[in-house]
Amino acid sequence: MKTSLTKLMSAMGCALAFTLLPGVPAQAQTATTVAPAKKAQVVILATGGTIAGAGASAANSATYQAAKVPVDKLLASVPELGNVANVRGEQVFQIASESFTNEHLVKLAKRVAALAKQPDVDGIVVTHGTDTLEETAYFLTLTVHTSKPIVVVGSMRPGTALSADGALNLYNAVATAAAPAAAGKGVLVTMNDEILSGRDVAKTINIRPDAFKSPWGDLGMVVEGQTYWFRAPVKRHTVNSEFDIEQIETLPAVEIVYGSGNASATAYQAYANAGAKALIHAGTGNGSVSGAVVPALRELRAKGIQIIRSSRVTGGGFVIRNAEQPDDQYDWVVAHDLNPQKARILAALALTKTNDAKSIQRIFLEY
Ligand code: DGL
C-alpha cells in the first residue's frame, strides 16, 4: 500500500528507504512516523587508484602516489558512510589502474559475483583508479549475474589535496549501492555527483573532477545521499548477459592499435605474431582504415584473427557497418558506439563464446 509520501518520492524518481509501522493504517503514516528502514549492507572492494592516493602537500592535486591508503583507513576517513549503509571493506588489490590486467579483471569479477550471491549483501562498491575504471565497470556489467547494485567509483584528486573529490564520490557510491532504485540498472559509476552507466561511461578529461562522461548522458544524480533517476540502460547486462564470470577463467588476447594518416601495418602484425586473437582498430573518423593498412588486415583476417573497427573519435556517434570499409566483404566487425578500450573488453568476452565474425557482430550490437 503506497502512502502519499511514497507516491511523491517515487514520482520524483528517487528512493526513500523506509518501512511502514505494523498495525497502523498506511494512509495514517508519514515520514515522521514510519520506522527507518533497515540499513543496507554494502561491501566496499578496494583496488587502489587515486581514491587511495596520497600527495606530499595539499597543493598536490595532480602529483601524488596512487594506491597508498588501505581500505580500512579509507572507510574511516568518511565516517558519514555509516549514515547511509552498514559498510565493510575488503582490500582486493592495491594498484594504480593503468596496470589492471585481464587477470585482475577476472579475479575482481569473481569476488563481486560471490558477494552478490550472499543474502547479507545488498550492494557492492568497487573503489578503483580512474585510468581504466571504464573497462572494469563494463567487464563487471557484462559478467556478474546479479540485479543488486554494483557501483564503481574513483577520484581525480588524492584525499590529501585541497578540494579532494574522493570522500564525496565514495559517499555517493555507497548511497547509490544502498538504494533499492539502483537495482537492475547494470553496473553503475558515480563520479562528480553523477550516476553513469558502466557500459557507456568513459574518462574524457585527464585532470579534472568532471572527467567522466557518457556520450548518451547520465542515468541520474546522487545528492545528499539520495539517488535521482532520469533514464535506464537498454543494452544487455548482468542477469541478461550471455557471459558469466563463473564460467570464465582467462580472457583471450585482444590488442588495440591507434589509427593515423601515416599508419603502417607493423603494430597489427606484431600483435598477431604475439598471439592476439582480435585486433581493435582505433580508427580515424568513422573507424576509417589507412590504405597502407587494409591489405595487412585482410591477410590477418584470412589467418583467423578478428578485425574490429572502433574509432579514436569518442564524443558520441558510432561506427557504421559497410560505410568507410566493406565490412561484409572483408568479414570484419564494427564496434558500434564502443570506444577502443571497451571494444577490447567485449571482443575478449565474445571470443570465449565464438570465433565467427557475424556472431561477434551480433554481440557488439546487443551489449
Ligand atoms: N594512476 C591512475 C590510476 O590508478 C591515477 C588516476 C586516478 O585513479 O584517478 O588510474
Side-chain angles (χ1 to χ4, degrees), residues 49-51 64 66 95-98 128-132 155-156 203:
T50 295
I51 196 167
Y64 56 83
I95 59 173
S97 75
E98 60 269 27
H128 195 290
T130 59
D131 285 7
T132 62
S155 74
M156 294 301 292
K203 183 175 182 178

Side-chain angles (χ1 to χ4, degrees), residues 23-80:
V24 177
Q27 299 84 328
Q29 299 199 39
T30 65
T32 53
T33 60
V34 295
K38 185 172 75 71
K39 268 186 199 160
Q41 308 296 316
V42 172
V43 179
I44 298 172
L45 299 180
T47 72
T50 295
I51 196 167
S57 80
N60 287 122
S61 61
T63 308
Y64 56 83
Q65 284 202 300
K68 286 294 168 204
V69 179
V71 64
D72 52 350
K73 205 172 166 198
L74 194 59
L75 271 56
S77 71
V78 190
E80 294 79 8

Side-chain angles (χ1 to χ4, degrees), residues 35 37 75 185 219 224 294 303 305 310 334 349:
L75 271 56
K185 291 188 170 70
L219 298 181
E224 296 185 351
V294 170
K303 290 176 180 172
I305 292 171
S310 178
V334 292
L349 285 169

Side-chain angles (χ1 to χ4, degrees), residues 48 72 110 136 146 166 172 187 189 199 202-203 227 230 238 292 334:
D72 52 350
K110 285 182 181 293
T136 297
T146 183
N172 287 343
V187 171
V189 171
R199 176 197 182 271
K203 183 175 182 178
T227 59
F230 302 97
T238 58
V334 292

Side-chain angles (χ1 to χ4, degrees), residues 137 149-152 176 182 185-190 195-198 219 229:
I150 300 170
V151 185
V152 187
T176 303
K185 291 188 170 70
V187 171
L188 304 168
V189 171
T190 56
I195 305 173
L196 300 120
S197 166
L219 298 181
W229 303 92

Side-chain angles (χ1 to χ4, degrees), residues 106 109-110 113 117 139 143-145 241-251 349 352-353:
V106 170
K110 285 182 181 293
K117 282 184 158 180
F139 185 76
T143 60
V144 178
H145 285 214
S241 173
E242 66 198 88
F243 309 108
D244 184 346
I245 193 60
E246 295 188 357
Q247 295 155 20
I248 295 169
E249 297 305 327
T250 58
L251 294 173
L349 285 169
T352 66
K353 295 280 187 183

